[in-house]
Amino acid sequence: MTTSAKISVLLDHDGSADDFLSMVLLLLMDHVDLIGVSITPADCYGENAVETTLKLLSKAGRLDIPVGLGNLHGINAFPSEWRARPKILNALPLLINIDTTASVSTVVSSQVLLTQKLKEAEAPVSILLTGPCTNLVQVLAQEPSLAQKIGSVVWMAGAIDVVGNVRTFNHDGTAEWNVFWDPISSAKLLQYSLPLTFIPLDATNAVPVTFDFLKRLALQSNHFYSDLAGQFWATTIDTIPSYDYTYFMWDVLATSYLAIPEAFTTETIEIDILSSGPGAGRTYRKPGSGQWVTIATGVNKDHFYTYLLDKFNQSPTT
């Protein structure tokens, strides 16, 4: 993707291995100016996710990028063993000895960060959500006029024409986790008529983390980010129970949409989101009375994998 000017991007992530690699990918995009990182305590415990975020920003020499931590909690919590993952990441050899002068006590709330950055923006801001949308919805509920400052929202969320990935008591399995965590806020997000692009399971199901890909990544492990990505994804082997295991590049795929949209097939449709009941979090087509959004229906995975290997074939300049 070529562009003459950088786009300002706010990232809101929820602290899994894929989220951190998404942040790294944004830092490596020449056309992106990452102006803030917000954390939702969903697929993580906030303190651990802040530490990992700051370590990676420190390694990249980008501690000038402000970090915010959300204090809102969803209706349906992620499994605790998934949420503990950032603590393991912080203990990996590539991160354990990275010291930062900042800590969780020095970061602002996500609502303060997002509000401040949107108010300061002189040009439309792109928002990338790789976790739930709760922080953004809370900001817009407080100051609806800030929606005018948003140029686009790309959200890794939903399962439109495929089965969901939520397997929990009293749920029918139609939802995707980022939507299910807070289905009420997810439904409210549609009410703001933002320029929304969903990267749902329909597209992410095409890009699993395979051993073949990890082997290709390991061949360039002399570069810091390839080594980091390989180590991060290696920790995901036991994240999902073995009877239902496949770890996909959910968030990294959504992030890559900002750089290689030509690799995606998309469709503009009307959708709605169920906010309660056994299908809470279900994202479904609703022609005639839904909210118009763009959804990714597929991706050229060879294009995507090649792009990813090329971007991670780098090391920090510091």
Side-chain angles (χ1 to χ4, degrees):
M1 179 177 184
T2 57
T3 183
S4 57
K6 288 192 174 188
I7 59 171
S8 296
V9 174
L10 282 168
L11 169 66
D12 193 308
H13 74 73
D14 70 334
S16 73
D18 215 25
D19 293 276
F20 296 120
L21 294 177
S22 294
M23 186 181 76
V24 166
L25 194 56
L26 288 174
L27 292 171
L28 293 172
M29 290 180 183
D30 293 334
H31 73 291
V32 164
D33 180 17
L34 183 58
I35 61 173
V37 178
S38 165
I39 299 169
T40 298
D43 199 9
C44 66
Y45 292 104
E47 294 80 5
N48 299 140
V50 167
E51 183 180 356
T52 309
T53 298
L54 293 173
K55 282 177 179 285
L56 290 171
L57 290 176
S58 177
K59 184 66 178 179
R62 293 304 313 273
L63 282 175
D64 59 299
I65 297 174
V67 176
L69 175 60
N71 54 16
L72 303 171
H73 295 272
I75 296 168
N76 304 300
F78 275 76
S80 58
E81 60 269 26
W82 297 5
R83 298 184 68 195
R85 191 62 49 178
K87 192 164 188 176
I88 297 173
L89 301 181
N90 288 329
L92 292 173
L94 287 179
L95 293 189
I96 195 166
N97 288 322
I98 298 177
D99 294 322
T100 66
T101 56
S103 68
V104 67
S105 63
T106 65
V107 301
V108 299
S109 77
S110 288
Q111 290 75 34
V112 168
L113 173 66
L114 295 175
T115 299
Q116 176 185 347
K117 287 300 178 181
L118 287 174
K119 284 184 174 180
E120 291 175 352
E122 297 180 357
V125 174
S126 295
I127 296 181
L128 174 64
L129 304 173
T130 59
C133 65
T134 306
N135 287 327
L136 177 60
V137 169
Q138 190 74 6
V139 166
L140 294 177
Q142 297 279 335
E143 299 196 46
S145 63
L146 291 179
Q148 300 171 20
K149 294 292 193 82
I150 298 173
S152 66
V153 177
V154 176
W155 189 17
M156 191 278 111
I160 312 296
D161 297 321
V162 298
V163 68
N165 60 3
V166 172
R167 306 285 185 270
T168 191
F169 181 70
N170 274 354
H171 194 273
D172 64 12
T174 58
E176 179 276 326
W177 264 103
N178 282 344
V179 183
F180 177 66
W181 188 78
D182 184 356
I184 293 176
S185 289
S186 299
K188 286 180 179 178
L189 181 65
L190 299 180
Q191 299 173 10
Y192 291 97
S193 300
L194 296 165
L196 279 166
T197 297
F198 281 69
I199 311 297
L201 300 187
D202 307 57
T204 63
N205 284 349
V207 288
V209 179
T210 65
F211 275 85
D212 177 66
F213 178 83
L214 291 179
K215 287 178 180 178
R216 293 170 67 188
L217 198 59
L219 291 175
Q220 53 189 53
S221 62
N222 56 312
H223 294 284
F224 178 85
Y225 288 126
S226 288
D227 197 10
L228 181 82
Q231 288 190 25
F232 273 24
W233 273 319
T235 70
T236 68
I237 297 301
D238 65 345
T239 300
I240 299 173
S242 59
Y243 58 80
D244 194 28
Y245 173 73
T246 304
Y247 195 94
F248 295 92
M249 299 182 187
W250 298 287
D251 301 336
V252 171
L253 182 67
T255 304
S256 74
Y257 182 80
L258 297 178
I260 51 169
E262 70 277 4
F264 292 76
T265 55
T266 62
E267 184 180 359
T268 301
I269 63 172
E270 290 176 276
I271 69 165
D272 204 351
I273 294 174
L274 289 180
S275 59
S276 62
R282 178 185 167 214
T283 306
Y284 62 99
R285 294 173 182 262
K286 193 177 182 181
S289 58
Q291 172 61 42
W292 287 99
V293 302
T294 298
I295 65 166
T297 57
V299 63
N300 182 327
K301 65 180 182 180
D302 290 334
H303 187 163
F304 167 67
Y305 284 147
T306 299
Y307 171 77
L308 209 55
L309 288 165
D310 177 65
K311 296 307 288 185
F312 286 152
N313 195 26
Q314 299 183 49
S315 296
T317 55
T318 58

